[in-house]
């Protein structure tokens, strides 16, 4: 009778033991094999010689909770100080100092405003800087590379300090609306909190995620404490600040330090005032701790910094040199240390971020990891350089010298697909030439200049298209090929008089949406221009181009747009970034369609319209603008030469066959332009269209059959009488076609 109860009791004890063990394991947040309750016990019951801090007395080791700013400070990290031009809210910069307070750099030069308030880092080390005048927070890259991200929605009024919580959300003081505002990590507005807030000046977050807001309160300042869910907990410190707090920071010891005009006050957890730091001449305004626990204090007026060690003993006072800033009356308020990871991937007792910052190791891809730690996964050639940073001409993520097998026909250690291949046959041109069979004009180099003849040929230009400026246009249906990330658009144009308002020569965009165009006007300014994600405008009015042929070209790549006239760069704009944006539109030539604005039609002739999927270099533009381009040229999307001379179809000479039509369809209509026999003045080096450079033709061989005979006589006579012709007509090669060529032509003919 007694066995069963005893067995049940033993089983119950085992279950309790198992559950207790599970609970303890589940409460080992730092995974060090020691239950949290023992980790934080000062008696060190586990005997491992280590005791974790628990500053907020929640029985959870502090290292498992939100890290304070000071714990993210990079030991070698720079100091960031935006200079405050209080008098006139002038545009300013963020100045970068080293730990010796020497000015070492300047980022966002004259691009930002700063009107005081806490300077804090985001979780990824960017800077939160207040723009009081602009009612916004500027999120700045510590290297000054990326454009500022802005937080300015939700009725933000008088931005004066911001911090980031553990979830990456932004908490911002809205001074003039007596509130704080919460924003999502992407900057979207979430919530407004106005209770217990009055003229908020500064912000701080402790290890547990509690928020502290320093309020001016019309000169009777206090600190409002909120929990991690932004529920109000308590107010404290009222009457101590004389008159109000200006900045706050938590030290390594978990104490809250608060700057006031004549002292730095200290508060223990729970808002208990425990003392202050004073020093002769010090009028505190901004606070920051470095990784050693040293306190750095800026002053209310002037450019001095006071430093106190971790025991609050005064170290020194320094005046910062802002020589590069210029102006007078400049002061500093907030300051921030560079923050980042304390990882040490190579276990050499030096933080990765410090090794990189000090130039001790390379970080070619700027991912914060030394290359020596990066290469373990991706270093195909074992040269110690991550593949993504190694020579990679085709940008496929694989180092070039790992792709040479069967892909280096000329043995120059460059993959074939990165070599010049002007005819697009997949074989580098020099290999084409070296292995060319006798008589094969597709790979010949008759003049021995290292370039394929087929890529140098520029045959006779036979015609163009005339547009009436009323309703004529050419339409090329939308294709994905016409929407590249980078682009070159080029054409020849002969303007028949001053063009009307907003006249377009080429347009592929919907109204007020992304795309690209070459225009002769914008709002009656009469300047040629190339519009894409940036706009680049000619330096003179298009009046200068009326009545004669001129070449216009626009290029765009990764934020930079350029405009060329007759092969020369005339304007550059850098106003965007990333790949070119597009909208769902057909490509129109000589019209601003699909806009219904009748003023946007072009009047005159157009010829040799070309679009490329890359930004051609200024050197390429200059070399080729007068030439007819090989239709297989690298990157050529479409080449509309307007040579057909009849019919409704406009042929694309490129292999992509992006053919267009006069007007909207293949039927005759009022929107049809006219074929013209005048043509752009392109260079002609294959007069007889025999597929070979004139300079390589047999002297006098007009019909290109490689034989000088009576069949060539008529052409030669016509050229001499006209005083002009092709290179092979200049038989004596003196640069002129005239009677002096007749004797030699006759002698050659009689041979």
């Amino acid at each position: 009778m007694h066995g069963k109860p005893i067995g049940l009791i033993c089983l119950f004890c085992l279950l309790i033991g198992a559950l207790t063990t599970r609970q303890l394991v589940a409460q080992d947040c730092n995974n060090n094999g020691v239950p949290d309750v023992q980790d934080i016990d000062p008696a060190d019951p586990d005997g491992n010689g280590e005791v974790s801090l628990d500053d907020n007395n929640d029985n959870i080791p502090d290292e498992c909770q939100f890290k304070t700013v000071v714990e993210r400070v990079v030991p070698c990290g720079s100091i960031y100080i935006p200079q405050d031009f209080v008098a006139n809210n002038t545009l300013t910069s963020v100045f970068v100092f080293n730990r010796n307070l020497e000015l070492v750099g300047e980022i966002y030069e004259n691009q930002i405003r700063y009107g005081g308030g806490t300077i804090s880092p985001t979780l990824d080390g960017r800077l939160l800087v207040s723009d009081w005048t602009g009612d916004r927070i500027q999120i700045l890259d510590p290297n000054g590379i990326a454009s500022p991200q802005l937080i300015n929605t939700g009725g933000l009024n008088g931005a004066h300090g911001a911090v980031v919580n553990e979830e990456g959300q932004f908490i911002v003081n809205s001074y003039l609306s007596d509130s704080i505002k919460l924003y999502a990590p992407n900057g979207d507005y979430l919530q407004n909190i106005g209770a217990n807030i009055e003229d908020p000046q500064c912000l701080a977050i402790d290890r547990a995620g509690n928020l502290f807001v320093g309020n001016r309160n019309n000169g009777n300042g206090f600190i409002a404490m909120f929990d991690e869910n932004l529920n109000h907990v308590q107010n404290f410190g009222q009457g101590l600040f004389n008159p109000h707090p200006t900045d706050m920071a938590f030290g390594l010891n978990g104490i809250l330090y608060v700057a006031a005009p004549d002292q730095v006050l200290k508060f223990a957890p729970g808002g208990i005032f425990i003392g202050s730091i004073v020093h002769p001449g010090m009028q505190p305004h901004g606070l920051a701790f470095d990784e050693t626990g040293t306190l750095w204090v800026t002053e209310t007026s002037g450019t001095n910094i006071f430093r106190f060690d971790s025991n609050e003993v005064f170290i020194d006072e320094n005046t910062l040199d802002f020589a590069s800033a210029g102006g007078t009356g400049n002061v500093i308020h907030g300051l921030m240390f560079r923050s980042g990871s304390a990882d040490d991937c190579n276990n050499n007792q030096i933080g990765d971020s410090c090794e990189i910052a000090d130039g001790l190791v390379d970080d070619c891809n700027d991912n914060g990891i030394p290359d020596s730690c990066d290469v373990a996964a991706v270093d195909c050639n074992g040269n110690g350089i991550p593949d993504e940073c190694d020579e990679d001409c085709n940008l496929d993520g694989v180092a070039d010298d790992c792709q040479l097998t069967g892909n280096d026909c000329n043995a120059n250690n460059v993959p074939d697909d990165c070599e010049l291949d002007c005819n697009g046959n997949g074989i580098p041109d020099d290999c084409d030439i070296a292995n060319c069979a006798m008589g094969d004009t597709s790979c010949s180099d008759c003049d021995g200049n290292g370039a394929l003849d087929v890529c140098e040929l520029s045959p006779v230009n036979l015609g163009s298209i005339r547009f009436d400026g009323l309703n004529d246009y050419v339409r090329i249906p939308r294709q994905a090929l016409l929407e590249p990330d980078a682009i070159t658009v080029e054409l020849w144009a002969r303007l028949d008089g001053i063009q009307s308002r907003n006249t377009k020569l080429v347009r592929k965009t919907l109204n007020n949406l992304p795309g690209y165009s070459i225009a002769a006007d914008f709002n009656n300014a009469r300047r040629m221009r190339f519009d894409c994600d940036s706009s680049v405008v000619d330096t003179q009015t298009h009046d200068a181009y009326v009545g004669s042929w001129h070449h216009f070209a626009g290029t765009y790549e990764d934020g930079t747009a350029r405009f060329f006239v007759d092969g020369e760069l005339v304007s550059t704009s850098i106003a965007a970034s990333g790949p070119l944006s597009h909208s769902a539109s057909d490509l129109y030539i000589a019209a601003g369609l699909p806009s219904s604005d009748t003023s946007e039609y072009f009047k005159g002739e157009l010829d040799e319209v070309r679009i490329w999927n890359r930004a051609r270099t200024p050197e390429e533009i200059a070399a080729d603008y007068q030439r007819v381009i090989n239709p297989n040229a690298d990157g050529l999307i479409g080449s509309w030469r307007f040579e057909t001379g009849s019919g409704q179809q406009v042929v694309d000479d490129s292999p992509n066959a992006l053919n267009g039509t006069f007007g909207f369809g293949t039927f005759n209509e009022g929107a049809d332009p006219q074929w013209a026999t005048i043509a752009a003045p392109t260079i002609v080096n294959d007069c007889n269209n025999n597929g070979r450079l004139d300079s390589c033709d047999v002297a006098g061989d007009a019909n290109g059959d490689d034989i000088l005979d009576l069949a060539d006589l008529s052409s030669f006579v016509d050229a001499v009488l006209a005083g002009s012709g092709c290179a092979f007509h200049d038989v004596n090669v003196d640069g002129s076609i005239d009677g002096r060529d007749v004797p030699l032509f006759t002698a050659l003919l009689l041979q």
Side-chain angles (χ1 to χ4, degrees):
M1 294 292 294
H2 296 290
K4 187 173 182 181
I6 292 175
L8 288 173
I9 291 172
C10 292
L11 178 60
F12 178 75
C13 292
L14 289 173
L15 287 172
I16 292 297
L19 290 172
T20 302
T21 301
R22 286 187 181 181
Q23 185 179 25
L24 289 176
V25 171
Q27 292 178 345
D28 178 19
C29 69
N30 51 13
N31 298 312
N32 66 350
V34 179
D36 293 345
V37 293
Q38 295 183 25
D39 245 351
I40 61 177
D41 190 338
D44 190 22
D46 54 68
N48 68 353
E50 298 178 357
V51 177
S52 295
L53 294 176
D54 181 23
D55 287 338
N56 56 347
N57 299 312
D58 63 355
N59 293 320
I60 300 174
D62 290 345
E63 63 260 31
C64 297
Q65 297 179 303
F66 183 55
K67 301 299 183 183
T68 58
V69 170
V70 69
E71 291 171 309
R72 298 199 301 272
V73 170
V74 176
C76 58
S78 304
I79 308 164
Y80 294 91
I81 301 178
Q83 196 171 20
D84 188 359
F85 291 80
V86 175
N88 55 10
N89 288 303
T90 305
L91 285 172
T92 184
S93 316
V94 175
F95 296 88
V96 186
F97 292 82
N98 62 23
R99 293 299 179 90
N100 295 321
L101 293 176
E102 298 165 330
L103 183 63
V104 296
E106 185 176 354
I107 59 174
Y108 297 100
E109 184 174 356
N110 298 325
Q111 296 180 46
I112 66 165
R113 287 188 175 91
Y114 173 56
T118 306
I119 310 298
S120 300
T122 61
L123 297 182
D124 59 2
R126 292 178 293 164
L127 290 71
L128 297 174
V129 178
S130 305
D131 176 2
W132 169 275
T133 304
D135 296 323
R136 62 186 186 176
I137 296 296
Q138 302 151 116
I139 307 176
L140 309 180
D141 178 83
N143 298 310
I145 299 173
S147 298
Q149 178 186 343
L150 302 178
I151 297 177
N152 55 4
T153 58
L156 185 57
N157 192 2
H160 204 273
V163 291
V164 175
N165 65 17
E166 187 172 11
E167 287 74 36
Q169 298 170 324
F170 302 98
I171 303 171
V172 182
N173 280 334
S174 184
Y175 181 93
L176 295 178
S177 64
D178 296 325
S179 64
I180 57 174
K181 297 183 182 293
L182 180 68
Y183 298 85
N186 65 358
D188 289 346
Y189 171 70
L190 298 176
Q191 182 182 358
N192 182 77
I193 299 170
N196 297 288
I197 303 295
E198 186 70 33
D199 309 328
Q201 288 271 97
C202 50
L203 297 160
I205 295 181
D206 69 9
R207 184 186 298 276
N210 297 308
L211 173 69
F212 297 79
V213 183
N215 295 273
R216 183 176 181 273
N217 191 30
N218 296 317
N220 188 19
F222 67 93
I223 295 174
M225 177 181 175
F226 299 81
D227 66 18
E228 60 184 350
N229 297 313
L230 298 182
N231 298 308
H232 182 253
V233 177
Q234 65 171 333
N235 296 337
F236 61 89
Q238 193 160 8
L240 296 177
F241 298 111
N242 190 30
H244 57 264
T246 57
D247 203 358
M248 299 184 290
F250 280 94
L252 288 170
N253 52 13
I255 292 174
L256 176 63
Y257 292 74
V258 184
D262 58 355
Q263 60 186 316
V264 176
L265 293 85
K266 303 186 298 179
F267 294 87
I272 302 170
F273 175 65
I274 58 174
S276 60
I277 301 173
V278 296
H279 185 80
M282 183 177 74
Q283 297 178 307
H285 193 100
L287 302 176
F289 281 94
D290 67 22
E291 74 287 349
T292 68
T294 297
L295 174 64
W296 301 56
V297 184
T298 67
E299 59 180 346
T300 301
S301 60
T303 58
N304 287 352
I305 285 186
F306 300 80
R307 295 193 291 189
F308 300 83
D309 68 17
S310 58
N311 295 313
E312 301 172 5
V313 176
F314 175 73
I315 299 174
D316 57 18
E317 175 184 354
N318 296 273
T319 300
L320 299 184
D321 178 14
F322 287 94
S324 63
T328 59
N330 305 327
V331 300
I332 56 174
H333 285 168
L335 74 162
M336 188 195 100
F337 289 96
R338 183 159 193 160
S339 66
S341 170
D343 292 342
D344 178 21
C345 71
N346 49 18
N347 298 312
N348 64 352
Q349 308 307 310
I350 303 175
D352 297 341
S353 54
C354 290
E355 286 191 287
I356 294 168
D358 290 344
L360 302 177
V361 296
D362 292 326
D363 178 22
C364 65
N365 49 11
D366 295 321
N367 68 349
I369 302 174
D371 292 345
S372 58
C373 299
D374 253 351
V375 299
V378 282
D379 181 21
C380 69
N381 52 15
N383 65 351
I385 302 174
D387 286 352
E388 64 180 299
C389 302
D390 220 335
E391 292 291 335
D392 180 18
C393 63
N394 52 14
L395 303 178
D396 64 353
V398 181
D400 291 344
D401 53 5
C402 295
Q403 297 183 306
L404 297 178
T405 303
N407 190 34
D408 184 18
C409 68
N410 51 16
N412 65 350
N413 294 320
V414 178
D416 289 345
D417 52 348
C418 297
E419 299 268 32
L420 181 63
D421 177 22
C422 72
N423 59 0
N425 68 348
I427 302 173
D429 292 347
D430 55 355
C431 295
D432 255 343
I433 295 169
N435 299 297
C436 191
M438 183 68 70
D440 186 351
T441 58
S442 69
C443 55
S444 62
D445 176 23
C446 68
D447 55 2
N449 68 348
L452 292 174
D453 295 340
V454 294
C455 298
E456 293 188 288
L457 291 175
S458 185
V460 175
N461 192 353
L462 299 177
S464 61
I465 296 180
R466 179 176 294 118
F467 300 86
D468 64 8
L470 298 176
N471 59 1
D472 291 355
Y473 66 91
V474 167
R475 182 182 72 92
I476 298 160
R478 183 190 180 197
Q479 295 284 341
L481 286 170
L482 292 169
E483 300 174 358
D485 292 342
I487 199 168
T488 297
V489 182
E490 57 178 321
L491 53 81
W492 280 91
R494 195 187 73 84
L495 282 63
D496 185 6
I498 303 301
Q499 301 297 300
S500 57
R501 180 178 178 271
N502 296 340
T503 292
K504 302 295 190 298
L505 284 69
V506 171
R507 186 181 199 241
K508 190 193 175 305
T509 176
L510 297 175
N511 288 349
N512 301 315
L513 291 175
Y516 54 88
S517 66
I518 289 182
D521 177 81
F522 178 72
N523 286 340
N524 294 317
R526 301 215 309 263
R527 292 181 185 270
M528 301 295 300
R529 58 191 288 131
F530 174 56
D531 291 304
C532 50
D533 286 352
S534 297
S535 294
V536 274
V537 184
D538 196 1
T539 55
Q540 62 180 345
T541 65
H542 69 236
D543 305 40
Y545 308 126
V546 171
S548 58
W549 285 101
H550 293 275
H551 184 269
F552 303 101
T555 68
Y556 175 89
E557 183 173 32
D558 196 23
T560 299
R562 294 184 171 91
F563 188 61
F564 302 79
V565 177
D566 293 334
E568 294 187 4
L569 177 64
V570 297
S571 183
T572 299
S573 173
I574 304 175
S577 62
L580 181 62
S581 304
H582 298 278
S583 54
S585 168
D586 294 338
L587 174 68
Y588 292 93
I589 297 174
L593 296 172
S595 168
S596 59
D597 189 343
T598 57
S599 70
E600 297 191 8
Y601 289 92
F602 171 76
K603 185 177 183 181
E605 286 79 28
L606 295 178
D607 200 3
E608 299 292 337
V609 177
R610 298 191 288 251
I611 297 179
W612 308 71
N613 64 8
R614 61 186 181 89
R616 304 199 83 209
T617 66
E619 293 76 16
E620 288 177 313
I621 298 288
D624 292 340
Y625 82 96
Q626 290 183 293
R627 294 182 56 245
V628 174
I629 294 293
N630 185 301
N632 295 303
D634 178 42
L636 186 63
I637 295 174
S639 175
W640 297 273
R641 299 202 54 222
F642 303 160
E643 300 288 271
T644 307
S646 63
Q648 293 287 109
Q649 188 177 60
V650 178
V651 175
D652 169 22
D653 277 4
S654 83
N656 298 317
L658 302 176
N659 300 327
T661 58
F662 281 7
F664 188 79
T666 57
F667 48 88
N668 292 323
E669 54 185 312
D672 289 353
Q674 301 296 315
W675 294 104
T677 56
I678 64 172
T682 54
I683 294 172
V684 177
N685 58 18
D686 183 17
C687 269
N688 51 17
N689 290 311
N690 68 343
R692 186 169 56 196
L693 297 173
D694 291 343
S695 59
C696 296
D697 276 335
V698 173
D701 180 23
N703 61 10
D705 62 0
D706 291 337
I707 301 172
L708 182 60
D709 53 24
L710 290 176
D712 303 305
L713 180 60
S714 176
S715 174
F716 176 74
V717 171
D718 290 343
V720 170
L721 292 175
S724 63
C726 299
F728 51 77
H729 288 132
D730 182 18
V731 183
N732 62 1
V733 197
D734 65 353
S736 300
I737 300 173
D738 52 28
R740 288 171 293 185
D741 294 299
V742 174
L744 183 55
F745 178 85
T746 303
L748 294 172
L749 186 62
L750 296 175
Q751 284 183 353

